[in-house]
Amino acid sequence: MTRTFYIIGITDERGTELPVETVPIVARSRIFSGGKRHHDIVKHMLPAAHEWIDITVPLDNVFDRYRNCNADIVVFASGDPLFFGFANTVLREMPEAHVKVFPAFNSLQMLAHKTLLPYHDMRAISLTGRSWKALDAALIRGESLIGSLTDKQKTPAAIAARMLEYGYANYTMTVGECLGNEDERISEYSLEEAAEKTFRMPNCIILRQTDKRPRPFGIPEEDFAHLAGRPKMITKMPIRLTSLAMLGLEDKSVMWDIGSCTGSVSVEAKLRFPELDITAFEIREEGGKLMQENCRRFGTPGIEMITGDFMETDTDAWPQPDAVFIGGHGGRLKDMVRKAAAHMHGNGTVVFNSVSEESRKAFEEACAECGLQLCKTVRMAVDDNNPIYIMKALKP
């Protein structure tokens, strides 16, 4: 049967009343679902003989019970069920079902209302059961107003600590704890203050920018932290920007930076394309430390650093790239190209900077052996340095 999900958004306010149009739906239904907190709030409104399905992880078990139901289901969810909410999960897991949503204000709207904060320009994100990616991207882009849902790991204190680690102290944090409850609390903190506090759950935050942090483009090589005694061991700025342009990152989602050294290519890429997932591979342990230092220096959280020999690294666990930059190869260029090409998505791009005729020829041969199409080569010379050939290949 094609069942209907009536998904009703509620707040944590005790004594709250259901939307008028949902009262007859609740009265005629017998199967209800939601979190334990939701049940505590609405159970006095439900029919005496109702069945309640707790929404707990793993969600597969919950949806198995839904599929075994022979009646429509009323689900209670927090706030707006389509705002990082459970309605999205139902639509994904049971696309054949009919879904009707009755939203309430979500917690970020409630926090904005209670602080009289116009929020039409707010970048809303969720860290609930998610990675740091959305927050990292919003910070790098320099969003002036960021609202975020939290969880037990990504707490306001953990968020503040991460922001301070990467130099984003140019925000204040407003925290709303237990919104809608009698003991709700709303407070504003500096990030230093928030990082030292413990907050009650559930909570959410709004970050307000106090001043703009510079977002450099074309970072001079001398601004990076370098390998000790080897300041020239870095991809020069003009070469770096040309290489990134040839990678075509504007329509890419995952980039591998092989032989990342100082991390200059990864850092520059992340600053320009904050949503890009970047994994950097560097054989030197000191290179891994340099990457961390430079990420903090230029405010680029979220770059995954893998220290060790790329050829000995099990890369199956990492997302498949659609862009690969080879900055160092240790004499094993052909093997690197072969391994990268095997993992790369179709229509992916490989860019290699050749400093010798030998490596240039090796890259051409490797591309031919792997079925990559060498499509562009740019010759560049910076200052008195030897010319470099920036070579681009595509995987059909």
Side-chain angles (χ1 to χ4, degrees):
M1 63 170 289
T2 300
R3 63 185 52 75
T4 297
F5 283 84
Y6 299 98
I7 307 181
I8 304 172
I10 60 174
T11 69
D12 277 0
E13 286 189 62
R14 306 296 165 168
T16 188
E17 295 186 359
L18 298 178
V20 173
E21 65 269 36
T22 68
V23 172
I25 297 172
V26 170
R28 68 172 183 260
S29 299
R30 64 179 183 83
I31 301 176
F32 300 87
S33 187
K36 294 184 184 297
R37 190 172 87 253
H38 302 131
H39 195 207
D40 289 341
I41 295 171
V42 302
K43 60 185 177 183
H44 68 283
M45 307 179 196
L46 306 183
H50 73 271
E51 176 186 348
W52 183 270
I53 300 174
D54 273 325
I55 298 176
T56 57
V57 292
L59 289 179
D60 287 349
N61 296 339
V62 177
F63 280 93
D64 284 344
R65 292 189 64 184
Y66 288 167
R67 292 184 182 94
N68 290 327
C69 292
N70 58 1
D72 295 337
I73 301 171
V74 177
V75 178
F76 293 97
S78 297
D80 182 351
L82 287 169
F83 182 77
F84 302 109
F86 194 68
N88 303 306
T89 309
V90 174
L91 291 168
R92 183 182 68 247
E93 296 293 329
M94 300 183 68
E96 75 284 357
H98 293 153
V99 176
K100 295 185 179 181
V101 173
F102 304 88
F105 286 124
N106 65 61
S107 59
L108 290 177
Q109 288 175 311
M110 292 174 64
L111 183 55
H113 296 163
K114 290 174 181 290
T115 55
L116 296 179
L117 175 66
Y119 63 92
H120 46 270
D121 291 330
M122 182 167 69
R123 177 72 170 95
I125 65 171
S126 175
L127 295 174
T128 306
R130 291 170 167 82
S131 72
W132 291 105
K133 182 176 179 178
L135 176 64
D136 294 345
L139 294 173
I140 293 170
R141 282 196 306 267
E143 300 282 2
S144 59
L145 194 64
I146 305 170
S148 181
L149 306 180
T150 65
D151 65 17
K152 292 180 180 179
Q153 283 72 46
K154 295 177 175 65
T155 63
I159 293 167
R162 184 176 179 85
M163 292 174 67
L164 291 171
E165 179 182 1
Y166 288 96
Y168 290 98
N170 56 324
Y171 287 85
T172 60
M173 178 184 286
T174 301
V175 183
E177 302 170 76
C178 305
L179 294 177
N181 286 273
E182 292 180 357
D183 59 345
E184 74 173 15
R185 182 169 63 193
I186 298 170
S187 305
E188 184 173 339
Y189 305 94
S190 69
L191 295 185
E192 291 81 2
E193 292 170 332
E196 298 298 323
K197 289 191 173 293
T198 301
F199 297 91
R200 292 172 296 155
M201 295 289 294
N203 59 59
C204 62
I205 66 164
I206 293 178
L207 299 165
R208 283 189 263 193
Q209 193 178 72
T210 55
D211 56 88
K212 283 286 185 184
R213 175 192 165 120
R215 185 181 175 189
F217 176 64
I219 306 169
E221 354 359 316
E222 59 268 20
D223 289 355
F224 286 93
H226 298 270
L227 285 170
R230 304 184 73 180
K232 294 185 178 182
M233 194 75 171
I234 187 172
T235 304
K236 305 295 187 293
M237 184 264 286
I239 306 295
R240 187 188 323 135
L241 296 186
T242 303
S243 298
L244 293 176
M246 290 175 68
L247 281 168
L249 297 176
E250 60 277 359
D251 62 353
K252 300 296 192 293
S253 58
V254 178
M255 174 182 138
W256 283 3
D257 180 4
I258 303 173
S260 56
C261 193
T262 61
S264 64
V265 171
S266 289
V267 166
E268 195 89 61
K270 194 69 172 176
L271 284 171
R272 287 305 97 204
F273 305 97
E275 283 84 9
L276 186 68
D277 289 328
I278 302 176
T279 302
F281 300 88
E282 171 56 41
I283 194 168
R284 303 178 190 86
E285 200 167 307
E286 59 267 41
K289 294 175 182 177
L290 281 176
M291 170 69 84
Q292 293 175 349
E293 182 176 347
N294 285 321
C295 284
R296 294 187 183 103
R297 181 176 295 190
F298 297 105
T300 54
I303 296 173
E304 189 77 34
M305 185 71 208
I306 309 299
T307 303
D309 188 339
F310 173 75
M311 295 308 303
E312 303 300 323
T313 300
D314 181 4
T315 50
D316 290 339
W318 307 105
Q320 285 185 287
D322 45 18
V324 174
F325 175 75
I326 300 178
H329 56 84
R332 303 181 69 183
L333 179 59
K334 285 189 176 183
D335 291 336
M336 273 188 183
V337 173
R338 191 175 297 112
K339 183 173 182 176
H343 284 80
M344 191 164 57
H345 285 294
N347 206 35
T349 306
V350 180
V351 168
F352 169 64
N353 292 343
S354 171
V355 297
S356 69
E357 183 62 32
E358 180 184 4
S359 64
R360 182 181 174 188
K361 184 177 179 181
F363 185 71
E364 291 173 346
E365 292 174 353
C367 289
E369 292 170 9
C370 297
L372 302 180
Q373 297 174 354
L374 191 62
C375 59
K376 191 170 186 179
T377 298
V378 174
R379 181 182 185 273
M380 291 186 70
V382 179
D383 301 328
D384 295 328
N385 296 299
N386 293 330
I388 290 178
Y389 291 88
I390 306 171
M391 307 175 72
K392 173 181 178 177
L394 294 177
K395 181 176 181 177

